[in-house]
Amino acid sequence: MGRLAATEGLTEVQRDILATVREFVDKEILPVATELEHRDEYPAKIVEGMKDLGLFGLTIAEEYGGLGESLLTYALVVEEIARGWMSVSGIINTHFIVAHLLAHHGTDEQRARLLPRMATGEVRGAFSMSEPGMGSDVAALRTRARRDGDEYVLNGQKMWLTNGGSANLVAVLCRTDDGHEAPHKNLTTFLIEKEPGFGTVAPGLTIPGKIDKMGYKGVDTTEMILDDHRLPGEAVLGGATGRGFYQMMDGIEVGRVNVAARGCGVAMRAFELGIAYAQQRRTFGKPIAEHQAIAFKLAEMGTKVEAAHQMMVMAARRKDGGRRNDLEAGMAKYLASEYCKEVVEDSFRIHGGYGYAKEYEIERLYREAPMLLIGEGTAEIQKTIIARRLLEEFGTR
């Protein structure tokens, strides 16, 4: 792709990984993505291919059987996969967040038991915070975990679980009675192990079925109903209650970099489609790319692809360096998702009437891009986070 969205300073290993993933995307994902998406079919063969490549263990430490790669490497891999089909990147995103939570907050026993199987893809993760009436207000969380001897009894309804059906490990945030005045200190993350599938997948745990969505198809997005679901004390992430809010926010920071990477990948594909079509389609005796109106669109699209990519890389590198990155992750997520929507729409406009036809790939991208405006926090939430951090940095009091 020439100079567009290039990343400086990568190691030879990182370059080899990205080259392998790009080849996989071009050969195994792009040729089938639109067909599978239109059928809302889970990409089982693609998932098996990702297992073979070791992508489910990309960031898991080598001592647990993973590749031990950085967040930057992972984000760049996600960018490549989303370029092929955004739904596939969703399959590994929540898995990666759960692996990150285990690696940074789990007990020794939890890491030793789960991470090796997560690295191979035998155990697949899902991540659950949202509820029907909660939205971005974490303090409104209602799902409760009641202590009963050495066990916890969970009751409530969770919403918007990516991989809710296909996963067999769910990190779920619940309210616990820890006696703190601040609501966020009474939240705990539990690790629920269940059978893949729909219906009753564990005693007191139901996955009703897939939510029918406008886009982001193929990947299963579900509810989860907890009705006196019992868990042992060992299922508490990290072994102590009351830490769930901080654990989940750490996971969300990583997730926002991921969503930014997805936005970059989808925007890149939309740009590829738009610039190719603009050189093929002719009007008034010349390719439409030679008309100034279209040339200006291409210039704006390329600039947005580049800007979003560099912002995403900066946020990932800051997290890899062990520094706080909520400001940069929020900026990257906000910028990449907004630019993705704009680049996709411009590519759609370049395609004219053909962009509205299902046989053209841009039609799929046009339905996928809006999810990025919502996932891992809306634009309004990102701007709230960004403003708070800027006021901390530049406050006059």
Side-chain angles (χ1 to χ4, degrees):
M1 290 308 299
R3 291 168 54 188
L4 193 61
T7 308
E8 299 294 329
L10 297 182
T11 66
E12 185 176 348
V13 171
Q14 289 173 314
R15 290 194 297 270
D16 287 347
I17 289 172
L18 292 174
T20 299
V21 172
R22 175 170 277 266
E23 182 180 7
F24 178 77
V25 168
D26 288 343
K27 290 183 177 179
E28 305 297 334
I29 298 181
L30 278 172
V32 300
T34 296
E35 180 183 353
L36 292 176
E37 196 271 349
H38 286 166
R39 294 204 303 258
D40 198 7
E41 181 177 328
Y42 188 79
K45 184 177 178 182
I46 293 172
V47 169
E48 290 303 313
M50 291 196 299
K51 285 183 184 179
D52 292 340
L53 291 177
L55 297 186
F56 284 95
L58 187 63
T59 62
I60 294 173
E62 292 181 10
E63 63 182 297
Y64 298 114
L67 298 178
E69 278 295 324
S70 64
L71 175 60
L72 174 61
T73 306
Y74 178 75
L76 296 174
V77 165
V78 166
E79 183 179 36
E80 292 288 353
I81 291 174
R83 174 182 155 267
W85 184 14
M86 191 179 76
S87 293
V88 178
S89 66
I91 290 171
I92 59 173
N93 177 39
T94 50
H95 175 88
F96 167 66
I97 291 176
V98 177
H100 176 85
L101 291 176
L102 277 164
H104 290 83
H105 304 285
T107 64
D108 290 342
E109 186 278 331
Q110 288 168 344
R111 288 194 291 265
R113 184 169 60 86
L114 293 169
L115 286 178
R117 292 188 290 151
M118 293 190 78
T120 63
E122 174 192 351
V123 169
R124 304 254 298 284
F127 174 81
S128 177
M129 280 181 56
S130 294
E131 296 182 2
M134 181 176 123
S136 299
D137 182 9
V138 180
L141 187 145
R142 299 181 66 180
T143 298
R144 288 191 171 272
R146 174 178 56 84
R147 188 76 182 255
D148 184 18
D150 293 333
E151 295 184 322
Y152 288 87
V153 182
L154 277 59
N155 283 280
Q157 182 181 6
K158 308 300 282 189
M159 195 72 179
W160 306 118
L161 279 75
T162 301
N163 296 328
S166 54
N168 45 13
L169 175 67
V170 183
V172 57
L173 188 65
C174 300
R175 186 171 298 285
T176 45
D177 297 319
D178 294 301
H180 296 290
E181 190 172 327
H184 67 278
K185 292 185 177 180
N186 297 301
L187 300 176
T188 300
T189 305
F190 290 87
L191 300 171
I192 296 179
E193 297 179 60
K194 67 176 187 67
E195 291 297 317
F198 301 99
T200 301
V201 292
L205 195 160
T206 302
I207 304 293
K210 293 170 63 173
I211 298 169
D212 193 14
K213 309 182 295 290
M214 175 177 75
Y216 197 42
K217 294 178 178 289
V219 60
D220 47 285
T221 306
T222 73
E223 299 176 67
M224 181 171 70
I225 299 171
L226 299 160
D227 184 12
D228 286 342
H229 178 64
R230 287 185 170 268
L231 290 174
E234 292 78 14
V236 174
L237 179 66
T241 61
R243 300 176 182 173
F245 177 79
Y246 305 101
Q247 293 165 345
M248 286 289 190
M249 289 305 103
D250 182 31
I252 286 292
E253 277 186 21
V254 169
R256 283 175 180 150
V257 173
N258 173 283
V259 173
R262 283 198 248 180
C264 293
V266 174
M268 187 68 197
R269 184 58 182 165
F271 174 79
E272 290 175 0
L273 294 171
I275 199 167
Y277 185 82
Q279 293 172 84
Q280 296 162 7
R281 172 71 167 167
R282 298 178 65 87
T283 62
F284 303 102
K286 61 183 177 180
I288 62 173
E290 295 181 16
H291 294 292
Q292 190 179 68
I294 301 300
F296 280 8
K297 279 191 187 299
L298 295 173
E300 292 168 4
M301 292 161 67
T303 301
K304 289 172 181 177
V305 167
E306 181 69 24
H309 173 85
Q310 298 303 338
M311 179 69 81
M312 177 270 291
V313 168
M314 180 187 68
R317 281 185 161 145
R318 189 171 179 88
K319 186 77 170 178
D320 282 335
R323 292 174 291 172
R324 182 177 177 179
N325 86 327
D326 54 342
L327 174 64
E328 292 78 11
M331 285 180 168
K333 193 275 174 183
Y334 169 60
L335 190 78
S337 58
E338 294 291 336
Y339 276 0
C340 174
K341 175 197 64 137
E342 294 169 10
V343 170
V344 168
E345 182 167 335
D346 278 343
S347 183
F348 176 83
R349 288 170 181 266
I350 288 170
H351 280 76
Y354 290 104
Y356 211 61
K358 282 186 174 289
E359 66 184 276
Y360 279 76
E361 190 180 339
I362 191 62
E363 181 272 342
R364 169 171 62 84
L365 271 58
Y366 194 74
R367 289 183 291 104
E368 288 178 340
M371 195 285 291
L372 298 171
L373 301 171
I374 302 166
E376 310 293 10
T378 63
E380 290 72 25
I381 287 295
Q382 305 312 316
K383 286 188 277 189
T384 299
I385 293 167
I386 292 165
R388 284 176 183 167
R389 288 289 286 114
L390 291 175
L391 288 168
E392 287 177 20
E393 293 288 335
F394 295 92
T396 57
R397 289 183 291 175

